[in-house]
């Protein structure tokens, strides 16, 4: 099995830096939420609506960006998206009304929609199948660091200098990363596959082939379970600092630091362990790409319920840490499986369809819904406690439906791509 070339690791480093900024931009908002809520006199529902606006536009705009990525130059798609979201972060800091905040967060969703599908496809052509889960885990570790830095750094800056400066400080690194992305080399599609052609251009992506991906059973299980998982992750990420602030009486900066610390600790551990275990177990049985997340979602449900049930900060911390680790194990295996069952010229579309469903049907409404439920119950703890753990159990059950189909789905993809070389269909 060929090892990735040195330039592939450079590309992964650039993409990891972009992933870091991607999630940093997202999660400054929940860190600074108490200050923003106070300045604009927002209800919990309105505050949750800011997160939902971002996710809704992310979901809708992922479709055109995903098609562009599978039919055009992926590095240009990435660079464009990074530039747009950097400007949106500036606009967030400059907002002077709730309507302006809402518009800025929607624009952030537009920019971020262009990055992940194109990036996943790009990296799959730099890293062969046997290391994709690990490469994806390293890439997704940038997300975890971004979440934590957004929570911790955003909370500290917001409390010390005002919440607007927490947004202003992330725009310049974003522009720099956009330039780095634009100057990366564009690999041929299928370059890392053991058999089949390496296509310079691709025209496979259209509505028919896009929806046809759902006929792949293991991919369908990933998409549907990810819809449910993302609803949970968005609700937790949006409300965790506020929950700690209200439940345990900590200040804004301390609450954001605890929330970020728990996510970076547990999320990083889970992401890296999941990536390594996914590749290691998949050498013997490729079904591990779905087996691991199925088990981890179920364990996470139990841990999360226990975390919300306790009134002790001392107990809440380890329970929340273990919950984050369990929930983030899916990162590497899910990303690798989506790339392993879709032909190289449809890999951005595979990620796009998954993100579209996960954001539109999953997390675009969950932050708002959790805020509405909190307003109705007058208790954020109960709102989260009796919604998120049951959803995780459902996600585990859905993921399990695709386990037995994984070997056949991977074999079918490899067979279909190898036939391209015989038929001369690829450029």
């Amino acid at each position: 099995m060929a090892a990735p070339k040195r330039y592939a690791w450079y590309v992964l480093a650039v993409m990891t830096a972009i992933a870091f900024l991607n999630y940093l931009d997202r999660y400054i908002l929940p860190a600074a939420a108490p200050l923003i809520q106070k300045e604009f006199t927002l209800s919990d529902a309105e505050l949750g609506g800011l997160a939902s606006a971002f996710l809704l536009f992310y979901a809708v705009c992922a479709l055109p960006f995903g098609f562009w990525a599978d039919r055009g130059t992926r590095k240009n798609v990435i660079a464009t998206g990074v530039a747009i979201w950097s400007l949106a972060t500036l606009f967030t800091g400059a907002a002077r009304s709730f309507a302006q905040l809402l518009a800025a967060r929607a624009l952030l969703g537009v920019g971020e929609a262009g990055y992940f599908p194109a990036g996943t496809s790009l990296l799959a052509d730099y890293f062969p199948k046997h290391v994709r889960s690990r490469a994806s885990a390293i890439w997704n570790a940038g997300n975890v660091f971004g979440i934590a830095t957004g929570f911790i750094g955003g909370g500290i800056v917001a409390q010390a200098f005002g919440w607007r400066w927490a947004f202003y400080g992330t725009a310049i690194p974003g522009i720099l990363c956009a330039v780095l992305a634009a100057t990366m080399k564009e690999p041929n599609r299928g370059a890392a596959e053991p058999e089949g052609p390496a296509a310079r251009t691709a025209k496979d992506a259209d509505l028919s082939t896009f929806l046809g991906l759902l006929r792949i059973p293991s991919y369908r299980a990933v998409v549907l379970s990810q819809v449910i998982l993302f609803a949970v992750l968005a609700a937790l990420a949006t409300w965790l600092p506020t929950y700690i602030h209200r439940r345990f009486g900590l200040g804004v900066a301390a609450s954001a630091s605890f929330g970020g610390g728990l996510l970076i600790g547990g999320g990083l551990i889970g992401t890296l362990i999941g990536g390594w275990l996914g590749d290691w177990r998949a050498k013997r049985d490729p079904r591990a790409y779905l087996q691991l997340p199925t088990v981890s979602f179920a364990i996470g449900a139990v841990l999360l319920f226990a975390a919300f049930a306790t009134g002790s900060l001392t107990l809440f911390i380890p329970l929340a840490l273990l919950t984050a680790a369990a929930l983030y194990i899916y990162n590497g295996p899910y990303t690798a499986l989506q790339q392993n069952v879709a032909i190289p010229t449809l890999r951005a579309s595979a990620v796009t369809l998954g993100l579209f469903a996960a954001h539109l049907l999953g997390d675009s409404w969950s932050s708002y819904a959790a805020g509405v439920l909190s307003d109705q119950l007058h208790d954020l703890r109960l709102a989260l406690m009796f919604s998120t753990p049951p959803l995780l159990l459902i996600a585990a059950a859905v993921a399990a439906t695709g386990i037995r189909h994984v070997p056949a789905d991977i074999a079918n993809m490899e067979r279909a791509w190898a036939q391209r070389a015989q038929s001369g269909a690829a450029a």
Side-chain angles (χ1 to χ4, degrees), residues 313-326:
L313 182 61
T314 304
L315 289 176
F316 176 81
I317 290 173
L319 287 169
L321 186 71
L322 291 172
T323 299

Side-chain angles (χ1 to χ4, degrees), residues 30 98 120 135 144 200 213 225 248 264 307 343:
F98 175 69
T120 306
V144 179
R200 184 175 299 276
L213 290 165
S225 61
F248 302 110
I264 191 174
I343 61 173

Side-chain angles (χ1 to χ4, degrees), residues 27-399:
Y27 288 100
I28 292 174
L29 180 66
L35 299 177
I36 296 173
Q37 189 173 32
K38 181 179 179 181
E39 179 174 331
F40 292 102
T41 318
L42 304 180
S43 67
D44 282 356
E46 287 174 322
L47 190 61
L50 292 175
S52 293
F54 159 76
L55 293 167
L56 183 60
F57 274 79
Y58 187 114
V60 173
C61 293
L63 293 175
F65 273 114
F67 281 118
W68 181 17
D70 265 340
R71 299 176 71 91
T73 304
R74 291 164 291 184
K75 66 176 186 176
N76 292 342
V77 180
I78 296 168
T80 301
V82 176
I84 291 174
W85 93 50
S86 297
L87 292 175
T89 304
L90 274 178
F91 294 156
T92 302
R96 290 297 183 272
S97 68
F98 175 69
Q100 291 175 1
L101 269 177
L102 202 64
R105 300 313 285 179
L107 182 61
L108 185 72
V110 173
E112 292 197 13
Y115 147 74
F116 191 75
T120 306
S121 175
L122 189 82
L123 289 177
D125 287 329
Y126 274 114
F127 290 89
K129 181 177 67 175
H130 67 280
V131 293
R132 276 184 195 142
S133 184
R134 278 170 284 176
S136 296
I138 293 171
W139 184 28
N140 284 306
N143 298 344
V144 179
F145 277 113
I147 293 171
T149 305
F151 274 142
I152 299 172
I156 292 172
V157 172
Q159 183 163 291
F161 303 103
W163 65 267
R164 298 179 189 280
W165 287 101
F167 290 97
Y168 293 150
T170 63
I172 293 177
I175 296 299
L176 175 61
C177 281
V179 173
L180 292 176
T183 56
M184 292 189 303
K185 297 176 183 178
E186 177 81 5
N188 287 339
R189 299 166 199 268
E193 299 307 311
E195 296 183 63
R200 184 175 299 276
T201 59
K203 302 297 180 185
D204 288 326
D206 56 34
L207 184 60
S208 175
T209 56
F210 185 75
L211 296 177
L213 290 165
L214 290 174
R215 290 196 292 266
I216 304 172
S218 60
Y219 173 78
R220 187 168 60 243
V222 166
V223 170
L224 295 177
S225 61
Q226 195 169 253
V227 166
I228 304 167
L229 175 67
F230 272 37
V232 174
L233 291 177
L236 294 178
T238 300
W239 292 108
L240 186 59
T242 303
Y243 172 79
I244 294 173
H245 176 65
R246 295 179 185 177
R247 177 71 165 163
F248 302 110
L250 302 182
V252 173
S255 298
S257 296
F258 267 106
L262 293 170
L263 286 172
I264 191 174
L268 184 61
I269 291 169
T271 296
L272 295 178
I273 287 178
W276 180 79
L277 277 179
D279 280 337
W280 180 68
R281 287 284 300 137
K283 290 178 182 178
R284 303 178 183 180
D285 187 348
R287 293 178 299 176
Y289 289 132
L290 272 176
Q291 289 171 337
L292 286 172
T294 297
V295 174
S296 69
F297 295 160
I299 293 173
V302 176
L303 292 170
L304 186 57
F305 186 88
F308 286 133
T310 183
S312 166
L313 182 61
T314 304
L315 289 176
F316 176 81
I317 290 173
L319 287 169
L321 186 71
L322 291 172
T323 299
L327 298 190
Y328 277 90
I329 279 176
Y330 86 97
N331 256 331
Y334 266 24
T335 304
L337 181 60
Q338 289 180 84
Q339 300 305 284
N340 291 346
V341 300
I343 61 173
T345 49
L346 288 177
R347 282 174 172 163
S349 294
V351 176
T352 296
L353 181 56
L355 288 177
F356 175 75
H359 289 307
L360 186 65
L361 304 178
D363 58 13
S364 65
W365 57 267
S366 64
S367 295
Y368 175 75
V372 170
L373 188 58
S374 175
D375 286 339
Q376 294 297 318
L377 296 175
H378 305 290
D379 192 328
L380 180 60
R381 182 180 75 92
L382 292 180
L384 296 173
M385 184 178 182
F386 292 110
S387 61
T388 51
L391 286 174
L392 286 174
L393 291 177
I394 296 172
V398 172

